[in-house]
Amino acid sequence: MNIAILGTGAYGIALALMFHKKNNRIKMWTKFEEEKDSIIQHKENQKVLPNVKIPDDIIISNDFGKVVQDANLIVIALPAAFVDDVSMELKHYITKNQHVLLASKGIDRDSCLFVSDIFTRHVKTKKYAVLSGPSFAIDMVTNCPIGLTIASTNPTTSNLVKKTLENDSLKLRKTTDVIGVEICGSIKNVIAIAAGILAGMGYPESTQAMFITESLHDIKELINKLGGEKKTILSFAGFGDLLLTATSKKSRNFTYGYMLGKKQSKESIDHYVKTTTIEGLYTIQSIYKLLKNKKVKIPIINLIYDIIENRKKVEALPQFLIEKK
């Protein structure tokens, strides 16, 4: 199969190596010529995934059209903020026979649309799926056993993804609950920031477990109110991804929250934000606005928003956990 991957970041490379294990032909696109040249020269992305070698037969290119041309499956593996522009570009090239896998997570800050909504706003197709679940790129490329969720209402697309991506270290489970999976994939980054705050304040695993349990109930309620299936909270995309992101210092969102909880200097926190992609910072604004528009009340989201955006004291978080009904 011919696979086109839009994005040469850590997750895009990890997926490329998983597809490569199944003997697929892979082309990867980056808009940055300097990044392309560096990856070709060093056979790795030294900035985001150092020492992980990219096989010679994986093509790296700046030519969008040539990368997606003749691809059976096009994978979008970019930060959520770039999905709109890339989808707008893709609509000029995609054919009716091509399938798309959305590996990006999040909600657009202006429109409050999920990634699949942003994509289908520009590309009129039902041949797409959403990929989500607990999977740090470095764990994937070292062939650790990993489970992910594929969400699609198109069984042909789901089967194609499963056939080309699932391998001896990667398990894929299918669902039709696209909205539920996208909610889980978006909100877990916000919850991870709060979990990091608690860890930074010095609270033990017992408090973290309490917080994660409360968060699961809130996310399940949010899924239900936005039209998804409650049971999705128990999938790889739900509890699995939340558990990973909200308990590990490998998580950039957790690390950012940890810095807030530790009350590190504004300079060091600002530097981390400028040099690191923290999806939860982008998502908290979007999810807060979305809930306000939908008139849905999820108090933990309001509190996290106030801590990040309105500089509310972090001490409000453990107090909230005790007082929460």
Side-chain angles (χ1 to χ4, degrees):
M1 290 283 186
N2 296 323
I3 311 293
I5 299 180
L6 308 181
T8 53
Y11 205 62
I13 291 170
L15 288 174
L17 295 182
M18 293 297 99
F19 281 114
H20 191 264
K21 286 179 73 173
K22 296 294 288 286
N23 298 313
N24 295 292
R25 296 173 293 277
I26 301 158
K27 296 179 182 179
M28 301 186 73
W29 172 83
T30 171
K31 69 178 291 186
F32 305 108
E33 188 169 355
E34 184 179 336
E35 185 173 58
K36 179 207 73 173
D37 293 341
S38 177
I39 293 173
I40 291 173
Q41 178 184 350
H42 301 288
K43 298 298 179 184
E44 65 183 59
N45 188 325
Q46 293 184 318
K47 183 177 179 181
V48 299
L49 211 56
N51 303 316
V52 175
K53 294 301 177 182
I54 299 173
D56 291 338
D57 58 341
I58 292 180
I59 296 170
I60 312 294
S61 175
N62 291 136
D63 192 322
F64 193 98
K66 285 185 178 180
V67 168
V68 301
Q69 183 182 15
D70 300 325
N72 302 100
L73 179 65
I74 300 167
V75 182
I76 298 180
L78 297 158
F82 300 106
V83 172
D84 190 54
D85 287 343
V86 165
S87 299
M88 216 180 305
E89 181 77 5
L90 182 59
K91 73 178 180 180
H92 299 298
Y93 297 95
I94 193 169
T95 68
K96 64 180 181 179
N97 296 320
Q98 291 176 306
H99 299 259
V100 177
L101 179 63
L102 302 172
S104 305
K105 304 172 184 177
I107 309 173
D108 181 68
R109 189 159 35 197
D110 296 323
S111 64
C112 294
L113 294 176
F114 288 99
V115 166
S116 66
D117 298 316
I118 297 168
F119 168 72
T120 55
R121 183 170 62 175
H122 300 295
V123 182
K124 307 304 179 185
T125 181
K126 293 183 179 179
K127 294 181 178 180
Y128 72 91
V130 172
L131 184 71
S132 193
S135 51
F136 290 136
I138 190 61
D139 297 337
M140 195 182 290
V141 299
T142 51
N143 296 313
C144 297
I146 284 173
L148 299 176
T149 299
I150 312 169
S152 181
T153 57
N154 189 314
T156 304
T157 301
S158 288
N159 291 334
L160 176 65
V161 174
K162 194 172 175 69
K163 177 183 177 182
T164 55
L165 183 58
E166 191 172 57
N167 57 56
D168 58 4
S169 63
L170 180 60
K171 175 189 287 187
L172 300 178
R173 283 191 172 152
K174 297 186 289 184
T175 178
T176 58
D177 185 18
V178 174
I179 182 64
V181 167
E182 288 211 88
I183 290 168
C184 290
S186 302
I187 202 170
K188 57 99 178 184
N189 289 320
V190 174
I191 299 301
I193 292 176
I197 290 173
L198 289 171
M201 294 176 73
Y203 286 101
E205 288 86 350
S206 299
T207 305
Q208 294 284 13
M210 176 191 186
F211 173 67
I212 290 172
T213 303
E214 290 284 11
S215 298
L216 283 171
H217 288 296
D218 288 345
I219 295 171
K220 183 174 71 172
E221 187 64 22
L222 179 59
I223 291 171
N224 183 55
K225 288 184 176 180
L226 294 184
E229 300 173 13
K230 287 183 177 182
K231 66 180 182 180
T232 297
I233 194 61
L234 298 178
S235 68
F236 290 137
F239 178 66
D241 209 2
L242 178 64
L243 182 65
L244 177 73
T245 314
T247 59
S248 174
K249 287 187 178 180
K250 287 183 185 178
S251 163
R252 294 164 295 192
N253 297 284
F254 182 92
T255 299
Y256 169 73
Y258 187 87
M259 296 172 76
L260 291 178
K262 274 282 189 185
K263 297 185 178 179
Q264 294 188 11
S265 68
K266 186 177 183 299
E267 291 75 20
S268 61
I269 294 174
D270 287 346
H271 176 74
Y272 186 72
V273 170
K274 287 179 182 178
T275 57
T276 311
T277 301
I278 306 169
E279 288 282 12
L281 280 180
Y282 182 87
T283 304
I284 185 60
Q285 298 179 28
S286 310
I287 194 73
Y288 179 82
K289 184 178 176 182
L290 174 65
L291 295 180
K292 198 172 181 179
N293 291 345
K294 297 281 187 180
K295 297 181 179 178
V296 174
K297 292 183 179 180
I298 306 291
I300 186 63
I301 297 299
N302 294 336
L303 177 58
I304 298 170
Y305 180 87
D306 283 339
I307 290 173
I308 294 172
E309 297 295 328
N310 299 327
R311 305 300 181 192
K312 190 167 187 172
K313 290 184 177 181
V314 294
E315 286 78 11
L317 183 55
Q319 180 183 350
F320 169 82
L321 288 177
I322 292 297
E323 296 176 352
K324 185 175 183 288
K325 301 299 183 184

